[in-house]
């Protein structure tokens, strides 16, 4: 269908670069999607097949609207980060780990019910957590632009998000000591000899790995 390329291109640009791409930007990416090739700086990306994602992603990330520092001063340029991505970026920037250095996995479940509004693989519908055409009341609506991720930025969710972030230094991800954190009270520990050891409650986990902080 002729609308396939611009539709997919717009969605990808919104998720990777900016919520309000120009028609020119969408056309460049759509052309790369249709032709399967994109050339920039003497390099050609893609194998010439319709829908080639190498060409499409290269067109998105190498376009001037994605790389121009001039657009940093444009209030309409860019996009808001989703709450879950903010949490992940916070953890990576702080090099979150266990005090002992032991490897472990923690399932960040119940994030939706606890007010963050988003958690992995638990979208409320096939339309994801927010609508791509969402316009928050205020300057964005007045200017006729969209800000999809801000559909999750109502006051209760923002307060829950801040509460969760403030709890990280004191309680970590699990909720063995405080139920308002980002984690659950059933944490799966990655034990070297038993990588699929399953789930343990707080007391059982401590017994399996004594000395490892919860």
């Amino acid at each position: 269908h002729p609308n396939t390329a611009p539709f997919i291109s717009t969605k990808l640009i919104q998720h990777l670069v900016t919520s309000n791409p120009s028609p020119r930007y969408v056309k460049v990416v759509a052309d790369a999607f249709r032709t399967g090739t994109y050339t920039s700086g003497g390099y050609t990306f893609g194998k010439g097949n319709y829908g080639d994602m190498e060409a499409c992603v290269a067109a998105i990330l190498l376009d001037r609207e994605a790389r121009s520092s001039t657009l940093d001063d444009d209030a309409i340029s860019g996009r808001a980060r989703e709450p879950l991505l903010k949490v992940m970026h916070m953890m990576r920037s702080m090099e979150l780990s266990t005090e002992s250095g032991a490897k472990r996995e923690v399932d960040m479940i119940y994030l939706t019910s606890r007010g963050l509004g988003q958690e992995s693989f638990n979208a409320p519908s096939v339309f994801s957590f927010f609508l791509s055409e969402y316009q928050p009341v205020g300057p964005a609506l007045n200017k006729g632009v969209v800000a999809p991720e801000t559909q999750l930025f109502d006051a209760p969710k923002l307060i829950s998000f801040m509460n969760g972030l403030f709890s990280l230094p004191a309680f970590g991800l699990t909720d063995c000591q405080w139920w308002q954190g980002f984690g659950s009270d059933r944490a799966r520990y990655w034990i070297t000899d038993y990588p699929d050891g399953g789930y343990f409650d707080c007391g059982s986990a401590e017994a399996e790995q004594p000395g490892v902080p919860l």
Side-chain angles (χ1 to χ4, degrees):
H1 193 280
N3 287 342
T4 299
F7 177 81
I8 293 178
S9 298
T10 301
K11 298 297 184 185
L12 289 174
I13 293 172
Q14 284 186 318
H15 280 285
L16 295 174
V17 178
T18 180
S19 296
N20 299 278
S22 69
R24 181 208 63 81
Y25 192 7
V26 173
K27 183 180 184 303
V28 169
V29 178
D31 287 344
F33 186 91
R34 290 192 189 100
T35 63
T37 60
Y38 177 76
T39 301
S40 176
Y43 295 93
T44 299
F45 303 87
K47 294 180 173 58
N49 300 318
Y50 179 85
D52 191 300
M53 293 307 296
E54 178 184 342
C56 189
V57 172
I60 293 171
L61 299 182
L62 297 178
D63 187 84
R64 64 174 183 261
E65 283 192 42
R67 305 179 66 83
S68 175
S69 58
T70 303
L71 292 176
D72 291 343
D73 294 327
D74 185 352
I76 296 177
S77 180
R79 56 185 290 270
R81 274 189 293 184
E82 305 163 41
L84 187 59
L85 291 182
K86 287 183 181 180
V87 174
M88 299 303 295
H89 292 167
M90 164 71 174
M91 294 176 187
R92 294 177 67 179
S93 66
M94 299 301 292
E95 299 182 358
L96 187 68
S97 182
T98 57
E99 185 175 319
S100 65
K103 295 180 180 179
R104 61 177 293 192
E105 293 180 6
V106 177
D107 290 315
M108 295 189 351
I109 59 177
Y110 310 130
L111 293 184
T112 298
S113 61
R114 290 181 184 173
L116 192 67
Q118 191 178 35
E119 64 184 75
S120 297
F121 311 115
N122 195 24
S125 75
V126 295
F127 300 105
S128 191
F129 298 95
F130 45 81
L131 301 176
S132 59
E133 66 272 17
Y134 178 75
Q135 295 177 291
V137 175
L141 181 60
N142 295 338
K143 290 182 176 295
V145 297
V146 300
E149 297 83 0
T150 61
Q151 192 169 1
L152 299 176
F153 292 178
D154 58 45
K157 292 185 179 68
L158 289 174
I159 292 173
S160 296
F161 176 77
M162 294 306 299
N163 283 341
L165 284 185
F166 279 121
S167 77
L168 276 176
F171 302 106
L173 281 173
T174 58
D175 295 332
C176 296
Q177 300 174 14
W178 195 49
W179 66 272
Q180 289 183 320
F182 285 136
S184 73
D185 58 0
R186 295 176 61 79
R188 184 172 66 181
Y189 280 68
W190 179 13
I191 304 173
T192 305
D193 295 331
Y194 303 96
D196 299 315
Y199 290 84
F200 307 94
D201 60 28
C202 295
S204 298
E206 186 175 19
E208 289 286 338
Q209 289 186 300
V212 177
L214 294 174

